[in-house]
Amino acid sequence: MARTSTRLRHAAITVLAWGIALWMFFPILWMFLTGFKSEPDALSTPPHFLFHPTLSSYQDVFARENYWHFATNSVVISVMATLVALLVSIPAAYAMAFLPGPRTRMTLLWMLSTRMLPSVGVLVPIYLLARATGLLDSRTGLIVIYMLTNLPITVWMLYTFFREVPVAILEAGRMDGATRWQEVTQVLMPLALPGIASTGLLSLILCWNETFWSLNLTSSIAAPLTTFIASFSSPEGLFFAKLSAASTLAVAPIMVFGWVSQKQLVRGLTFGAVK
Amino acid sequence: MATVELRNLRKTYLHEEIIKGVSLAIAEREFIVFVGPSGCGKSTLLRMIAGLEDISAGDLLIDGQRVNDTEPARRGVAMVFQSYALYPHMNVYRNMEFSLRLAGMPEAERRQRIGDVARILQLDPYLDHKPGQLSGGQRQRVAIGRAIVRNPRVFLFDEPLSNLDAALRGQMRVELASLHRRLDATTIYVTHDQVEAMTMADRIVVLDKGVVEQIGTPLELYHRPRNLFVARFMGSPPMNLLPATINAHDPDGTMQVRTETLSVSIPTQQGGLEVGAPATLGIRPEHIRIDPQGAVQGMVEVSERLGAVTLLHVRLPDGQMIVVQTGGDNTDSADTPICMTFEEEHCHLFDADGMALARSTDHPLLAGA
């Protein structure tokens, strides 16, 4: 009796989970399908589930814009911003986790609070700063901005991961003669590698998807894939098929990347939740 | 091997003094055990010697050299942590090699040294295992091996056996003792387990609230506790302590002491105690004899049969509870009235401040100590 009810509950939860997953995935699926429709098919109401697939939208997209230019910018900017963010936040998180001062907690909270500020609130000063330093429409400019906006998150995540490392192991390293640098690079980092990897992954994804600053600070030279999508959106809501094709092209790399590394990502995001 | 000297060591943390001036001279090859209840500062003191905690005041000398501000690795000390603190991402060989590699020792010499240590600790078959694949006892051995390969002047152990189960703990205790004899190393060992302290130490340092209560050989501490704290702390089951009054002091060097229910003559010097002064009478459970002619009466409340010995929890007529250790063949059960004799030569007397009165005679095992 109890067994049957458990089994029923399992079945219900499975159906519910699939339902939610499909519901969340549907917009992406719809975008993917629309990219293969002709423009009239894409606009028709009620929508067509059955249609003649065509690559014409993709051909148009490739004919109009240099996809690889945008893609290269996205890769370079995301990877560089992530690397620099890790380079800065690993020592910061180390200090906060293992050498905390009386104000460490406040500093952490304050850092996180900066993420709550709407980006548009600082648009003018950032724009003026970027212009004054010649960083408008440059990869370096975006790398700096992305790195800085993600820093609170990367420091927080690494701080949490580092806190999971037993202090005694680092002390053993110190007893064994490790300098601070060796302690971090040879003891702490190998131990926290899963955490560092998932922090890096999250930063990559955030950088890849960032739209606000890329639209406002770049035009052509440094423009990443988010501006590539934006260039296909028209105010009248026309050309859905081309917009969908461009969007698919823009999100495909990070989706494949996320899918390949999802195990690592999930492990990272739930790290410490279970022993 | 080295001498270690602590000169009035103090540690202040957030305006609170945790170590309140500890002085101690440790001889070469000596096995010293710091023992005390949790929070007494024994681990902090060890970590100060290791260099993992700053020394707030006082001097720490190793081989006569002040090392207060010397990096841990340059003090020539090696430490075995309570949690073992092995490097989980390195195999056993790499764990032991880490310090040697950092010190820039040539590969061949490292291999040779680790091989020797692995043989002593029977770790040969596990050199390429990661710590996660080892049992608790094996991890413990790796932690010890990691300390030994460095050839340190002083070994520091921070409650190394507390994570092991009882059987393994007993076995490792013997192994550690024989290892100490073999390596002839100066050793400082922290534990809260008085059995470990009694069995392994050359000298025990009893700490309480950051203060040294007594320093001495295990038997000195057991038979001649300096004060009530040490008397209570050393020995299991603990010493029976009864409130008492000084009745008289005889010219032959004994004190007549009276409690509510009994009166004994204890061979101690008078100290400052006048007749009528309050005091505490102490007697260990094994020094109370069941004796039909005994002057002390009581009622057995609980009888704990441990096999080799039986512990009787006895209520005295005034309501005080005492523990009596008898042979394992004792048949007294609960609610049996018994008579007992206190072996007077083994009684202890403490004044109102809890300090023990000096003995007139010496314990045979401590003669000359």
PDB file of all heavy atoms in Angstrom, chain B residues 198-210:
ATOM      1  N   MET B 198      48.618   9.386  30.451  1.00  0.00           N
ATOM      2  CA  MET B 198      49.280   8.536  31.435  1.00  0.00           C
ATOM      3  C   MET B 198      50.212   7.526  30.770  1.00  0.00           C
ATOM      4  O   MET B 198      51.309   7.264  31.244  1.00  0.00           O
ATOM      5  CB  MET B 198      48.229   7.775  32.261  1.00  0.00           C
ATOM      6  CG  MET B 198      47.367   8.626  33.173  1.00  0.00           C
ATOM      7  SD  MET B 198      48.247   9.339  34.552  1.00  0.00           S
ATOM      8  CE  MET B 198      48.546   7.916  35.578  1.00  0.00           C
ATOM      9  N   THR B 199      49.754   6.925  29.649  1.00  0.00           N
ATOM     10  CA  THR B 199      50.518   5.820  29.083  1.00  0.00           C
ATOM     11  C   THR B 199      51.710   6.280  28.267  1.00  0.00           C
ATOM     12  O   THR B 199      52.698   5.569  28.171  1.00  0.00           O
ATOM     13  CB  THR B 199      49.628   4.941  28.191  1.00  0.00           C
ATOM     14  OG1 THR B 199      48.940   5.785  27.267  1.00  0.00           O
ATOM     15  CG2 THR B 199      48.628   4.160  29.008  1.00  0.00           C
ATOM     16  N   MET B 200      51.644   7.457  27.645  1.00  0.00           N
ATOM     17  CA  MET B 200      52.714   7.808  26.722  1.00  0.00           C
ATOM     18  C   MET B 200      53.718   8.813  27.270  1.00  0.00           C
ATOM     19  O   MET B 200      54.852   8.858  26.816  1.00  0.00           O
ATOM     20  CB  MET B 200      52.105   8.357  25.429  1.00  0.00           C
ATOM     21  CG  MET B 200      51.217   7.342  24.746  1.00  0.00           C
ATOM     22  SD  MET B 200      50.998   7.688  23.018  1.00  0.00           S
ATOM     23  CE  MET B 200      49.808   8.934  23.064  1.00  0.00           C
ATOM     24  N   ALA B 201      53.299   9.625  28.226  1.00  0.00           N
ATOM     25  CA  ALA B 201      54.112  10.782  28.590  1.00  0.00           C
ATOM     26  C   ALA B 201      55.323  10.433  29.442  1.00  0.00           C
ATOM     27  O   ALA B 201      55.279   9.528  30.263  1.00  0.00           O
ATOM     28  CB  ALA B 201      53.250  11.793  29.340  1.00  0.00           C
ATOM     29  N   ASP B 202      56.425  11.159  29.209  1.00  0.00           N
ATOM     30  CA  ASP B 202      57.481  11.215  30.207  1.00  0.00           C
ATOM     31  C   ASP B 202      57.035  12.173  31.301  1.00  0.00           C
ATOM     32  O   ASP B 202      57.148  11.896  32.480  1.00  0.00           O
ATOM     33  CB  ASP B 202      58.784  11.728  29.584  1.00  0.00           C
ATOM     34  CG  ASP B 202      59.377  10.710  28.626  1.00  0.00           C
ATOM     35  OD1 ASP B 202      59.260   9.510  28.920  1.00  0.00           O
ATOM     36  OD2 ASP B 202      59.934  11.114  27.599  1.00  0.00           O
ATOM     37  N   ARG B 203      56.540  13.327  30.860  1.00  0.00           N
ATOM     38  CA  ARG B 203      55.974  14.282  31.806  1.00  0.00           C
ATOM     39  C   ARG B 203      54.663  14.822  31.237  1.00  0.00           C
ATOM     40  O   ARG B 203      54.530  14.998  30.029  1.00  0.00           O
ATOM     41  CB  ARG B 203      56.932  15.447  32.045  1.00  0.00           C
ATOM     42  CG  ARG B 203      58.034  15.098  33.044  1.00  0.00           C
ATOM     43  CD  ARG B 203      58.760  16.348  33.487  1.00  0.00           C
ATOM     44  NE  ARG B 203      59.343  17.052  32.353  1.00  0.00           N
ATOM     45  CZ  ARG B 203      59.669  18.338  32.399  1.00  0.00           C
ATOM     46  NH1 ARG B 203      59.448  19.052  33.490  1.00  0.00           N
ATOM     47  NH2 ARG B 203      60.213  18.919  31.347  1.00  0.00           N
ATOM     48  N   ILE B 204      53.737  15.082  32.145  1.00  0.00           N
ATOM     49  CA  ILE B 204      52.438  15.607  31.742  1.00  0.00           C
ATOM     50  C   ILE B 204      52.329  17.056  32.220  1.00  0.00           C
ATOM     51  O   ILE B 204      52.764  17.375  33.327  1.00  0.00           O
ATOM     52  CB  ILE B 204      51.290  14.776  32.371  1.00  0.00           C
ATOM     53  CG1 ILE B 204      51.343  13.340  31.858  1.00  0.00           C
ATOM     54  CG2 ILE B 204      49.927  15.395  32.068  1.00  0.00           C
ATOM     55  CD1 ILE B 204      50.312  12.427  32.514  1.00  0.00           C
ATOM     56  N   VAL B 205      51.775  17.895  31.367  1.00  0.00           N
ATOM     57  CA  VAL B 205      51.473  19.268  31.770  1.00  0.00           C
ATOM     58  C   VAL B 205      49.960  19.383  31.832  1.00  0.00           C
ATOM     59  O   VAL B 205      49.285  19.244  30.817  1.00  0.00           O
ATOM     60  CB  VAL B 205      52.036  20.278  30.752  1.00  0.00           C
ATOM     61  CG1 VAL B 205      51.688  21.703  31.168  1.00  0.00           C
ATOM     62  CG2 VAL B 205      53.542  20.102  30.607  1.00  0.00           C
ATOM     63  N   VAL B 206      49.422  19.605  33.023  1.00  0.00           N
ATOM     64  CA  VAL B 206      47.968  19.749  33.157  1.00  0.00           C
ATOM     65  C   VAL B 206      47.622  21.225  33.060  1.00  0.00           C
ATOM     66  O   VAL B 206      48.160  22.051  33.791  1.00  0.00           O
ATOM     67  CB  VAL B 206      47.456  19.186  34.506  1.00  0.00           C
ATOM     68  CG1 VAL B 206      45.937  19.293  34.570  1.00  0.00           C
ATOM     69  CG2 VAL B 206      47.897  17.744  34.669  1.00  0.00           C
ATOM     70  N   LEU B 207      46.757  21.554  32.090  1.00  0.00           N
ATOM     71  CA  LEU B 207      46.381  22.949  31.870  1.00  0.00           C
ATOM     72  C   LEU B 207      44.917  23.156  32.206  1.00  0.00           C
ATOM     73  O   LEU B 207      44.092  22.268  31.992  1.00  0.00           O
ATOM     74  CB  LEU B 207      46.595  23.314  30.398  1.00  0.00           C
ATOM     75  CG  LEU B 207      48.038  23.480  29.942  1.00  0.00           C
ATOM     76  CD1 LEU B 207      48.121  23.327  28.444  1.00  0.00           C
ATOM     77  CD2 LEU B 207      48.576  24.829  30.369  1.00  0.00           C
ATOM     78  N   ASP B 208      44.631  24.339  32.751  1.00  0.00           N
ATOM     79  CA  ASP B 208      43.227  24.714  32.936  1.00  0.00           C
ATOM     80  C   ASP B 208      43.113  26.215  32.767  1.00  0.00           C
ATOM     81  O   ASP B 208      43.847  26.965  33.394  1.00  0.00           O
ATOM     82  CB  ASP B 208      42.743  24.278  34.328  1.00  0.00           C
ATOM     83  CG  ASP B 208      41.266  24.604  34.513  1.00  0.00           C
ATOM     84  OD1 ASP B 208      40.505  24.426  33.549  1.00  0.00           O
ATOM     85  OD2 ASP B 208      40.898  25.041  35.612  1.00  0.00           O
ATOM     86  N   LYS B 209      42.225  26.647  31.926  1.00  0.00           N
ATOM     87  CA  LYS B 209      41.965  28.068  31.666  1.00  0.00           C
ATOM     88  C   LYS B 209      43.257  28.829  31.391  1.00  0.00           C
ATOM     89  O   LYS B 209      43.445  29.956  31.875  1.00  0.00           O
ATOM     90  CB  LYS B 209      41.239  28.693  32.858  1.00  0.00           C
ATOM     91  CG  LYS B 209      39.907  28.017  33.167  1.00  0.00           C
ATOM     92  CD  LYS B 209      39.100  28.850  34.144  1.00  0.00           C
ATOM     93  CE  LYS B 209      37.830  28.153  34.570  1.00  0.00           C
ATOM     94  NZ  LYS B 209      38.051  27.245  35.715  1.00  0.00           N
ATOM     95  N   GLY B 210      44.138  28.235  30.609  1.00  0.00           N
ATOM     96  CA  GLY B 210      45.348  28.934  30.194  1.00  0.00           C
ATOM     97  C   GLY B 210      46.448  28.986  31.233  1.00  0.00           C
ATOM     98  O   GLY B 210      47.426  29.712  31.071  1.00  0.00           O
TER      99      GLY B 210
END
